[in-house]
Amino acid sequence: MTQEAITRNFLDTPSFWRDYPERDIEFVRWYPCDVKPLSADQIYATREKFPKTTSFYVHIPFCNQVCTSCPYNKFSTRNTLTQRYIQALKREIDLYSQLPHVRDTVFTSGYFGGGTPTTLRAEELDDLLGYMKQRLNFSPDCSVTIESTPVDVDQQKLDVLLKHGVNRMSLGVQTFHDPLLRYLGRARAHTGESATRTIELIDRSGLENLCIDYMIGIPGQTPELWAQDIRTLMDLPVTSFSVYNYAVMPGSEVFFALQSGATPPCPSTREADEMYQYLHTTLMDAGYLALTYNDFIEPMRPEWEAAGVKTYPVVKDGSKPYRGLETDTFYLTDHLSQIWGRCGDMVAIGSGAYGYLNNHMYLNEPDIESYISRCNEGRLPVVMGAYTDEHEQRCRSLVLGLKLLRVKRSVYRERHGVDPYEYFKDKVDDLVAKGLLEVDADAIQVTYPKGWYYIDNISKSFYSDANYRLPQPTSASTEILKWQIDRTDGRKGLPLVQF
Amino acid sequence: MSSSETTARRSRRGRIFDLAERAPQGDPFETAEECRAYDRSVRTSMIIPMQHMMKLIGPDCGPDKDVLEIGCASGLLSLRLAAQHRDSTFTGLDSNDAFLEVARENTIFANLVSYGGDFACDWARYSRLPYPDDSFDVVFSFCAINRWDKPARILPELARVCRPGGAVLLYDLARDADEGMVSFVLQYAGGDANAFMTSLRASYSTEEMRELLDQVGLNDWSVTKEGINLVVSSRARDTGYTVGEPGIYERIFD
């Protein structure tokens, strides 16, 4: 029954905490979650650490067509607003370039997300990227990703991106089936054919790493259509690949279309799980390498191997030949490795962007007009965040590190001065007993397939008491701040010093 | 994490939000325009609670039942139930004329699109319902208790007009809800965040509702907490959400 299907889909999707054996499906991407009001002055009041390398995230909150299902901070593209926004971004970049924490740091990777960063015109992209290159230090093999849709990129934009060293593009294809794109409300934006054309255009341009995004859980999606999409993916010149859950937001157009039967129902939980399993086995049987449970990269190339890229067995008993990629051995996966693996610094630029600097996770002002005003006044637009003390850092390295399926004990010991297994012995033993983790002398590793399915349960097991049963923060968390009893800043007990 | 540890860490209350003391808000809806804004929010951000309530009360509503909604606001819930149970009679009462204006607009629209069902709304003082004893088979309210001045005078009235063997079901927010859940709803409440928090702060905790019921002699009514909601029922019932069939992992791994 359609109504049952939709109700289940909604209730499954936004529920944010499930204890094993229920499967948690809130996508863990940030930590900590107990955000408080926080200003840039507070973050940099005491210099706790000097990052040698860092990553950046630039948020471009514009889309030429806003999808009804998108939870991120975004607006429809408007010319004057876009120009004022780019000016504000440049002011913010200026401020960071003068900040002692960032001035001498080398950027090894970066990410332009949104929104759709390629809604900016070629000249605007040229202006912004050129400005960043001029003000900040980039390493020679810096890997820069930009998100796009199949219709917002053309030869002129590609030329600009390549000129400035952007070498990875993440393309929101979602599916190659036109009826499914119509159910997603993307019929006006792109078709399977236009996506194929764009992928071929990008391939011809010589961009090193093209990643496409798919969705599981789209209304009308069937295992047969999914299998066709996977075949299409493997036939196209696509280097890497990510898949996300499609969430039906309550009260949205899609929600009512589903309820009235105007669109076919979403796949059931069981069908969605089977689609994940089909994806995993099909790709890894073909030699694709796992980055996370939902990100994969093409089979090992000789030039990557020659450059020192390393892999590890996904199934430790050797019963399957599946391999995972050690993201920190490959410059093209540096961003993932930096933000989740090493839990390193990331400078957040733009309205609603998240970053991590000087042991603080922080969020920039999500309201675009307030963001622009603050930058124009010469103030960094940080509004909230949380300080991570040594214990929280140790938690964070497992919460986020295990998203990459494997945490090396020697690397963890070097970073935190303790062994992750010894420090979290009870929790790790419990997860091992449940068949979700395996531990050996080298690493703590997520089991395949069981641990992969429970990846967010595993992450959340390492939340500290202060973060236990809290949802992932979003730019809308600023709503929460207004109602908190404890309005003290996110530095937790550190002395406040005027910067 | 062991299960005992989970239990020890389970409570997330009184840590983040100012919810320790109840902060009554009275009736915040003065104009029809404010009521229309609430109506829009019931249609969108409150659609899941509305459907949960329909699922809970639906089985009691037909056939040939007399159903009363106390604090029907813009009438959406009764209109939807009336369309599902066309052989039952639905009456919505509200003490706010601005809401009744919007409920009548919705009724006209429901008639225009031949939505069907027998629904009428009227003004009443909840503490003195204009009906003889044992007039209805079902009495319910949806997200209204937090705006009632004197629930101790209203609850016995609901019991009075409900026939023996009938059902009273009251659905509202629970002030003692898990704070993580409150954070989560706040993030997705968008422009309705203020209204949500004001209502939550004005709502009762499970314990306070239990005391209130005991105080007016309704000791046999049940109070349960479900997610961020409080469910008061004249008879015990299964309030749980249906969260779908098990995934294939249960088949693969166990």
Side-chain angles (χ1 to χ4, degrees):
Chain A
M1 201 175 120
T2 312
Q3 186 167 326
E4 289 298 309
I6 167 67
T7 303
R8 181 182 58 241
N9 185 294
F10 169 76
L11 287 171
D12 272 1
T13 306
S15 53
F16 68 96
W17 195 284
R18 298 265 174 96
D19 286 316
Y20 181 89
E22 279 190 279
R23 181 181 173 197
D24 195 298
I25 56 164
E26 188 192 33
F27 188 68
V28 174
R29 52 207 182 283
W30 291 303
Y31 186 84
C33 307
D34 61 334
V35 289
K36 295 274 169 64
L38 185 69
S39 70
D41 291 354
Q42 290 165 339
I43 296 180
Y44 306 115
T46 311
R47 194 181 292 185
E48 295 204 358
K49 76 179 203 191
F50 283 101
K52 290 190 199 70
T53 60
T54 186
S55 188
F56 67 82
Y57 175 79
V58 178
H59 193 74
I60 307 291
F62 305 110
C63 285
N64 285 332
Q65 202 211 353
V66 172
C67 301
T68 48
S69 58
C70 172
Y72 297 101
N73 197 29
K74 78 278 163 183
F75 304 87
S76 288
T77 314
R78 273 180 289 154
N79 221 349
T80 51
L81 180 62
T82 311
Q83 282 162 13
R84 286 165 51 228
Y85 186 72
I86 293 173
Q87 285 312 310
L89 287 177
K90 288 161 80 173
R91 287 301 308 275
E92 193 185 1
I93 292 162
D94 261 345
L95 292 169
Y96 275 113
S97 71
Q98 292 155 21
L99 195 73
H101 274 84
V102 176
R103 200 171 42 212
D104 304 320
T105 304
V106 176
F107 285 83
T108 53
S109 59
Y111 198 100
F112 288 85
T116 314
T118 51
T119 52
L120 299 186
R121 290 181 290 117
E123 308 84 78
E124 291 169 334
L125 287 168
D126 193 20
D127 181 30
L128 180 61
L129 285 158
Y131 198 81
M132 288 186 73
K133 280 280 166 77
Q134 185 196 332
R135 295 297 163 120
L136 306 168
N137 312 312
F138 287 80
S139 73
D141 59 352
C142 180
S143 140
V144 179
T145 301
I146 192 162
E147 289 180 347
S148 183
T149 74
V151 287
D152 294 305
V153 60
D154 55 24
Q155 190 61 54
Q156 208 190 347
K157 288 181 191 178
L158 275 170
D159 291 343
V160 166
L161 297 174
L162 288 165
K163 179 178 101 182
H164 290 292
V166 173
N167 48 14
R168 182 170 177 272
M169 184 176 283
S170 171
L171 208 59
V173 171
Q174 324 313 358
T175 170
F176 282 96
H177 298 291
D178 293 346
L180 301 192
L181 287 169
R182 187 167 288 277
Y183 299 142
L184 286 175
R186 295 199 57 80
R188 207 183 294 128
H190 79 271
T191 60
E193 197 209 333
S194 67
T196 310
R197 269 203 316 272
T198 304
I199 288 167
E200 282 162 359
L201 172 79
I202 294 166
D203 182 52
R204 280 198 305 276
S205 77
L207 187 100
E208 266 185 276
N209 184 353
L210 174 64
C211 175
I212 69 171
D213 289 350
Y214 274 171
M215 280 180 175
I216 285 181
I218 303 170
Q221 197 173 31
T222 62
E224 293 70 34
L225 293 177
W226 179 240
Q228 282 175 27
D229 268 341
I230 301 298
R231 274 198 298 278
T232 309
L233 159 80
M234 294 170 76
D235 289 342
L236 284 169
V238 168
T239 324
S240 55
F241 166 78
S242 304
V243 62
Y244 299 96
N245 278 316
Y246 175 70
V248 179
M249 303 308 266
S252 65
E253 267 175 63
V254 178
F255 180 93
F256 287 109
L258 280 161
Q259 282 212 322
S260 65
T263 64
C266 296
S268 66
T269 310
R270 176 184 296 258
E271 285 166 337
D273 286 346
E274 277 166 352
M275 288 183 207
Y276 266 108
Q277 194 197 21
Y278 179 82
L279 161 82
H280 292 156
T281 52
T282 310
L283 288 189
M284 289 195 292
D285 279 340
Y288 279 72
L289 305 169
L291 301 172
T292 71
Y293 84 105
N294 65 329
D295 298 280
F296 296 85
I297 192 160
E298 273 191 325
M300 182 64 92
R301 294 184 193 162
E303 67 266 29
W304 295 351
E305 202 150 22
V309 176
K310 292 195 171 59
T311 64
Y312 64 89
V314 162
V315 184
K316 282 173 59 185
D317 66 13
S319 58
K320 297 272 186 193
Y322 301 163
R323 307 289 295 183
L325 187 119
E326 293 189 14
T327 52
D328 57 347
T329 62
F330 193 20
Y331 73 99
L332 279 179
T333 52
D334 184 83
H335 188 70
L336 260 184
S337 176
Q338 174 76 8
I339 61 168
W340 281 357
R342 291 192 287 275
C343 287
D345 290 270
M346 178 166 76
V347 178
I349 297 165
S351 167
Y354 267 93
Y356 188 78
L357 269 176
N358 199 32
N359 294 334
H360 290 74
M361 186 203 64
Y362 68 96
L363 174 89
N364 282 347
E365 172 61 56
D367 178 81
I368 191 162
E369 289 295 347
S370 311
Y371 166 81
I372 292 172
S373 316
R374 287 182 64 135
C375 291
N376 289 341
E377 287 160 16
R379 293 189 296 150
L380 282 173
V382 175
V383 287
M384 69 177 189
Y387 173 66
T388 54
D389 60 18
E390 185 56 46
H391 175 65
E392 289 290 8
Q393 289 165 37
R394 290 170 184 179
C395 294
R396 192 168 187 267
S397 286
L398 288 183
V399 170
L400 300 179
L402 286 169
K403 295 285 289 190
L404 300 178
L405 308 172
R406 191 165 187 262
V407 169
K408 280 192 231 170
R409 292 171 72 174
S410 58
V411 174
Y412 190 101
R413 280 196 298 267
E414 200 176 312
R415 193 183 317 140
H416 297 298
V418 290
D419 181 81
Y421 176 56
E422 283 163 23
Y423 192 71
F424 289 108
K425 190 165 186 312
D426 291 350
K427 290 184 180 190
V428 176
D429 281 344
D430 182 55
L431 292 166
V432 169
K434 286 170 177 155
L436 303 178
L437 289 182
E438 286 171 301
V439 185
D440 63 21
D442 291 336
I444 299 179
Q445 188 169 323
V446 176
T447 59
Y448 175 86
K450 190 172 182 180
W452 283 33
Y453 279 93
Y454 285 105
I455 190 74
D456 293 309
N457 298 64
I458 295 171
S459 270
K460 289 180 177 189
S461 302
F462 296 99
Y463 277 26
S464 70
D465 284 356
N467 290 280
Y468 180 69
R469 284 190 75 84
L470 284 182
Q472 285 279 298
T474 73
S475 55
S477 297
T478 48
E479 285 293 346
I480 296 174
L481 302 185
K482 294 182 198 159
W483 298 95
Q484 286 181 347
I485 312 171
D486 177 11
R487 299 291 309 275
T488 53
D489 65 85
R491 279 187 64 80
K492 274 189 214 156
L494 279 182
L496 277 188
V497 181
Q498 283 302 309
F499 188 58
Chain B
M1 188 189 335
S2 72
S3 59
S4 60
E5 245 185 293
T6 307
T7 315
R9 289 166 65 180
R10 181 149 283 153
S11 173
R12 300 306 307 172
R13 273 178 260 141
R15 175 181 68 128
I16 304 176
F17 302 110
D18 185 11
L19 293 167
E21 296 296 321
R22 181 169 179 259
Q25 62 167 337
D27 187 344
F29 302 101
E30 286 180 11
T31 65
E33 207 40 60
E34 285 167 357
C35 296
R36 286 187 194 100
Y38 176 80
D39 184 55
R40 281 194 292 278
S41 121
V42 174
R43 293 174 191 206
T44 52
S45 54
M46 286 168 71
I47 190 107
I48 293 295
M50 174 162 63
Q51 297 197 164
H52 185 210
M53 176 63 177
M54 288 173 70
K55 208 164 180 175
L56 287 177
I57 197 74
D60 293 307
C61 287
D64 299 321
K65 302 284 188 191
D66 293 309
V67 184
L68 178 69
E69 182 176 5
I70 302 293
C72 68
S74 61
L76 283 186
L77 189 52
S78 276
L79 277 167
R80 291 189 69 186
L81 285 166
Q84 279 181 355
H85 305 281
R86 296 182 184 211
D87 48 5
S88 296
T89 307
F90 288 79
T91 306
L93 296 181
D94 211 287
S95 55
N96 184 334
D97 281 309
F99 259 134
L100 291 169
E101 187 181 333
V102 181
R104 287 183 187 117
E105 289 168 4
N106 281 339
T107 310
I108 290 168
F109 192 69
N111 283 327
L112 276 174
V113 298
S114 310
Y115 201 62
D118 180 351
F119 170 74
C121 57
D122 205 349
W123 186 91
R125 186 172 285 127
Y126 307 151
S127 55
R128 206 183 307 157
L129 294 175
Y131 302 105
D133 297 357
D134 307 337
S135 298
F136 295 93
D137 301 289
V138 180
V139 179
F140 72 90
S141 88
F142 177 68
C143 298
I145 312 175
N146 72 74
R147 298 195 291 273
W148 293 352
D149 280 343
K150 293 167 183 138
R153 287 170 59 184
I154 299 172
L155 293 167
E157 271 294 273
L158 309 185
R160 181 184 68 78
V161 299
C162 186
R163 290 178 185 137
V168 180
L169 186 74
L170 312 172
Y171 188 96
D172 205 338
L173 293 166
R175 211 177 72 252
D176 53 347
D178 180 298
E179 289 196 313
M181 194 71 184
V182 174
S183 304
F184 185 76
V185 172
L186 259 178
Q187 288 189 20
Y188 288 89
D192 296 330
N194 284 357
F196 167 71
M197 274 315 272
T198 313
S199 299
L200 183 64
R201 296 186 65 204
S203 69
Y204 292 84
S205 68
T206 333
E207 204 174 307
E208 287 164 350
M209 182 52 69
R210 180 74 270 159
E211 280 171 20
L212 192 56
L213 291 169
D214 290 348
Q215 182 193 322
V216 296
L218 297 169
N219 319 51
D220 53 341
W221 286 19
S222 76
V223 182
T224 44
K225 192 167 55 175
E226 179 60 48
I228 55 164
N229 294 108
L230 187 74
V231 183
V232 177
S233 176
S234 58
R235 59 177 165 76
R237 63 173 77 220
D238 180 13
T239 57
Y241 284 99
T242 306
V243 289
E245 61 196 280
I248 55 164
Y249 43 85
E250 294 184 6
R251 200 151 42 85
I252 293 178
F253 308 119
D254 298 319

